[in-house]
């Protein structure tokens, strides 16, 4: 096939936009699933999201910062993630402002009002150019929208939903989460609130997270077609344990529940993988404000017998064998939060008792002795938790890197995203770019726990310090688990979507004659 899938007598080309009736309707999952399904057919496919708002980000090999969801979708497409796949990334620093990352580099802070008042419209040319570049170098580009395309108050400045669909003239499929209820009203209302020109691009619907007998749903799908003139192109079943890198919130990739769950696919009648040794290992992750890259702990939860919980109360640390302070977009704010809730004192008591604590990026900075911040919080001099011999100074320029090295006798890779520059002044041993003092560990490296040998070595040290007879399984491969999850997403599309109809949309573009559903945009 020479990298191209022939369909209806022609080569697959062009693009498709996956929009959603709401946030978290399943756009990221569907986009990744379509990418994996297409690449298995020999199609050169790339993901794209014009504008992403997320605190979960990733560093590409060329040193560009993009959303982790797009990095995951690139993995689904079996291509290297690049900056054009997510040209605009917004990283919230408060309820009203975000850092704007353009083509992988931060360009400043903007309020939501300032962004929508003009800056967003100025970026339409940039995101359109990036999409065109990807379309020139791939057979197909599967685009992901954001939130809902029917945010009528934001339509004038939209560059990620109907704005990019209109600019690039690509068809749109709308995903709805039936598990929430009201999916028919959501599909109809989303369509009816779009202008006539926007509606002309909406080619069909995909139902997501369906439980039960699909034949009971079919009469409703036919009525929806009668009301809108558009087909439903698939009903995707509810699937547990789908491993994707979520954009935000606490619905963390590869986990079901927020507080207690396991990364790896369910086993043993839903009880989860059994521990390899005599004990389980309990990990408590402090759910700090503006928590970022909480996907770091997915690799821990992939280990049989490791239970990961997100906690926000001091008493929840009592039975934890390891406490993790994750990354955050607001180190000083998170430090204040730890102190207000009594978590700082609880962590200090753990350290004094020789019980393990791990700080990653912002968490590492909080564990240090002193913070000088005139950049992120502009708080100036702030005392850290004082558990590591580290002084942190926030720099204007952000560090974006893909380091590799060795720790605990094992090779390890990671990525760095931070303004804080750490000066390590002591410690019992070096640890990646940070250090260890007693049972307290700190590093700026995200993703290091995905290195299997290093993760097992670290967990053995944690288990020894915690006095647990926990033994990491010798054959857990996080990369293999991730690939299996991505294949499951591809299977969902292949088995439950009208792939012929999706191919025609990607190849032939927007169908002619899609009817207008009144009243349209006001």
């Amino acid at each position: 096939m020479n990298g191209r899938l022939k369909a209806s007598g022609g080569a697959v080309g062009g693009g498709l936009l996956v929009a959603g009736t709401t946030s978290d309707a399943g756009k990221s999952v569907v986009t990744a699933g379509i990418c994996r399904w297409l690449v298995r057919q020999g199609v050169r496919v790339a993901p794209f999201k014009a504008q992403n708002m997320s605190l979960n980000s990733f560093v590409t090999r060329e040193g560009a910062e993009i959303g982790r969801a797009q990095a995951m979708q690139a993995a689904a497409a079996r291509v290297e993630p690049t900056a054009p796949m997510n040209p605009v990334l917004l990283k919230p620093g408060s309820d009203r402002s975000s850092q704007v990352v353009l083509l992988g580099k931060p360009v400043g802070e903007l309020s939501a009002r300032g962004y929508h008042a003009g800056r967003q419209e100025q970026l339409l040319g940039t995101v359109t150019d990036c999409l065109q570049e990807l379309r020139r170098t791939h057979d197909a580009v599967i685009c992901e929208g954001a939130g809902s395309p029917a945010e009528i108050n934001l339509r004038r400045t939209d560059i990620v939903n109907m704005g990019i669909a209109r600019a690039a003239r690509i068809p749109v499929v709308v995903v709805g989460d039936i598990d929430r209820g009201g999916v028919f009203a959501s599909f109809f209302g989303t369509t009816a609130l779009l202008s006539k020109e926007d509606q002309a691009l909406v080619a069909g619907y995909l139902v997501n997270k369906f439980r039960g007998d699909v034949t009971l749903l079919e009469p409703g799908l036919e009525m929806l077609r009668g009301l809108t003139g558009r087909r439903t192109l698939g009903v995707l079943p509810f699937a547990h344990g789908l491993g994707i890198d979520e954009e935000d919130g606490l619905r963390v990739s590869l986990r079901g529940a927020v507080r207690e769950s396991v990364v790896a696919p369910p086993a043993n009648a839903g009880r989860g993988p059994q521990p390899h040794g005599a004990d389980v290992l309990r990990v408590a992750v402090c759910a700090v404000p503006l928590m970022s890259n909480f996907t770091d702990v997915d690799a821990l939860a992939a280990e049989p017998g490791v239970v990961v919980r997100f906690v926000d109360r001091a008493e929840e640390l009592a039975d934890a064998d390891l406490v993790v302070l994750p990354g955050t977009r607001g180190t000083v704010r998170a430090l204040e939060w730890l102190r207000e809730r009594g978590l700082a004192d609880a962590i200090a008591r753990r350290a004094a008792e020789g019980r393990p604590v791990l700080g990653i990026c912002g968490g590492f900075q909080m564990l240090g002795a002193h913070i000088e911040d005139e950049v992120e919080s502009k708080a100036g001099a702030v005392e850290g938790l004082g558990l590591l011999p580290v002084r942190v100074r926030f720099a204007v320029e952000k560090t974006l890197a893909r380091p590799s090295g060795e720790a605990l006798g094992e090779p390890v890779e990671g990525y760095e995203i931070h303004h804080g520059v750490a000066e390590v002044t002591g410690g019992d041993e070096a640890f990646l770019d940070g250090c260890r003092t007693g049972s307290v560990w700190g590093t700026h490296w995200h993703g290091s726990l995905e290195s299997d040998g290093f993760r097992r070595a670290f967990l053995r040290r944690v288990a020894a310090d915690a006095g647990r007879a926990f033994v990491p399984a010798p054959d857990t491969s996080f990369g293999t688990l991730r690939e299996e999850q991505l294949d499951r997403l591809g299977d969902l599309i292949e088995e439950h979507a009208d792939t012929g109809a999706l191919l025609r949309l990607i190849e032939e573009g927007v169908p002619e004659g899609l009817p207008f559903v009144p009243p349209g945009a006001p």
Side-chain angles (χ1 to χ4, degrees):
M1 287 185 285
N2 296 321
R4 288 180 176 267
L5 176 66
K6 298 292 182 178
S8 305
V12 172
L16 180 72
L17 175 70
V18 178
T21 56
T22 62
S23 295
D24 202 35
K27 298 182 291 292
S28 296
V29 168
V30 170
T31 300
I34 293 175
C35 285
R36 177 48 60 100
W37 160 65
L38 283 173
V39 77
R40 291 195 307 207
Q41 313 306 312
V43 178
R44 296 178 302 170
V45 58
F48 176 79
K49 185 161 185 170
Q51 172 195 295
N52 194 350
M53 177 173 281
S54 180
L55 288 170
N56 286 334
S57 58
F58 182 76
V59 179
T60 67
R61 295 218 176 269
E62 69 268 26
E65 185 180 8
I66 66 172
R68 272 201 68 97
Q70 281 60 67
M72 175 274 298
Q73 290 160 356
R78 296 179 180 148
V79 295
E80 189 69 30
T82 61
M85 294 176 184
N86 179 206
V88 180
L89 174 63
L90 305 178
K91 303 194 71 175
S94 70
D95 293 339
R96 296 191 176 186
S97 68
S98 295
Q99 182 181 68
V100 181
V101 179
L102 179 62
L103 292 175
K105 304 297 180 183
V107 294
E109 297 272 343
L110 275 180
S111 68
R113 181 178 294 275
Y115 184 66
H116 288 287
R119 178 63 166 164
Q120 192 174 30
E121 284 182 289
Q122 297 169 10
L123 296 173
L124 181 59
T126 299
V127 301
T128 302
D129 289 345
C130 288
L131 176 56
Q132 288 303 106
E133 177 186 337
L134 292 172
R135 293 177 74 176
R136 283 194 299 269
T137 54
H138 297 80
D139 301 326
V141 178
I142 308 303
C143 310
E144 180 188 345
S148 163
E151 306 289 357
I152 55 179
N153 56 315
L154 302 177
R155 175 60 186 92
R156 182 181 61 83
T157 58
D158 170 51
I159 63 172
V160 64
N161 290 304
M162 304 314 297
I164 191 68
R166 284 266 292 273
R169 192 65 190 171
I170 54 175
V172 178
V173 173
V174 181
V175 178
D177 179 358
I178 198 170
D179 198 50
R180 293 182 173 186
V183 74
F184 294 116
S186 297
F187 283 142
F188 182 85
T190 296
T191 308
L193 276 177
L194 300 179
S195 68
K196 183 176 182 179
E197 294 78 10
D198 285 350
Q199 285 191 28
L201 301 178
V202 176
Y205 310 112
L206 274 171
V207 175
N208 192 29
K209 303 181 187 177
F210 179 72
R211 307 171 192 251
D213 184 352
V214 73
T215 61
L216 298 177
L217 191 65
E218 288 170 352
L221 301 179
E222 283 303 310
M223 286 186 274
L224 180 67
R225 184 175 185 178
L227 289 166
T228 66
R230 291 158 174 85
R231 291 180 53 221
T232 298
L233 304 179
V235 178
L236 309 182
F238 190 99
H240 292 277
L242 288 179
I244 63 156
D245 292 347
E246 301 278 357
E247 290 185 351
D248 256 327
L250 280 180
R251 291 184 181 86
V252 186
S253 64
L254 303 176
R255 280 190 297 281
V258 171
R259 293 193 177 272
E260 287 197 59
S261 172
V262 182
V263 166
N268 304 308
R271 293 192 301 272
Q274 298 302 296
H276 186 70
D279 278 349
V280 299
L281 202 68
R282 297 174 178 86
V283 179
V285 184
C286 295
V288 298
L290 298 174
M291 183 166 52
S292 61
N293 285 68
F294 46 75
T295 49
D296 283 332
V297 299
D298 287 345
L300 292 178
E303 289 286 346
V306 174
V307 179
V308 173
R309 295 174 296 151
F310 284 85
V311 304
D312 57 10
R313 297 190 299 271
E315 58 267 29
E316 294 177 295
L317 303 187
D319 67 346
D321 302 306
L322 171 66
V323 169
V324 177
L325 285 178
T328 172
R329 175 83 165 87
T331 298
V332 170
R333 176 179 169 186
L335 190 55
E336 292 172 352
W337 181 87
L338 290 175
R339 286 173 168 145
E340 289 167 358
R341 302 184 74 87
L343 285 158
D345 288 340
I347 292 168
R349 287 193 298 271
R350 287 184 62 88
E353 295 165 0
R355 302 172 67 196
V357 177
L358 170 66
I360 302 174
C361 199
F364 168 42
Q365 296 165 8
M366 286 186 275
L367 290 171
H370 183 80
I371 297 171
E372 194 72 34
D373 181 13
E374 299 291 351
V375 176
E376 190 176 76
S377 68
K378 298 181 173 58
V382 176
E383 293 306 303
L385 296 178
L387 302 180
L388 288 176
V390 175
R391 297 179 65 85
V392 176
R393 176 185 55 81
F394 274 72
V396 173
E397 185 174 350
K398 181 186 283 191
T399 296
L400 297 170
R402 288 279 294 269
S404 62
E406 184 177 296
L408 305 181
E410 297 287 346
V412 58
E413 296 181 349
Y415 58 99
E416 295 184 63
I417 306 169
H418 54 91
H419 284 278
V421 178
E423 178 191 359
V424 179
T425 59
D428 296 335
E429 68 175 305
F431 180 63
L432 305 175
D433 69 334
C435 65
R436 176 189 67 83
T437 296
S439 61
V440 181
W441 309 70
T443 177
H444 272 131
W445 290 23
H446 294 290
S448 62
L449 294 166
E450 295 181 18
S451 297
D452 296 326
F454 166 74
R455 180 181 65 254
R456 287 191 278 270
F458 177 70
L459 289 176
R460 283 192 290 269
R461 293 280 293 268
V462 167
D465 287 346
R468 290 286 183 184
F470 169 84
V471 179
D475 56 354
T476 301
S477 167
F478 185 77
T480 298
L481 287 172
R482 176 61 55 84
E483 274 297 298
E484 290 173 356
Q485 297 291 338
L486 294 174
D487 274 332
R488 289 181 66 199
L489 298 182
D491 292 343
L492 278 179
I493 299 300
E494 186 169 348
E495 296 169 9
H496 300 283
D498 186 342
T499 53
L502 291 175
L503 278 174
R504 285 190 294 275
L505 290 175
I506 295 167
E507 180 183 12
E508 300 172 9
V510 182
E512 297 291 333
L514 291 169
F516 173 69
V517 180

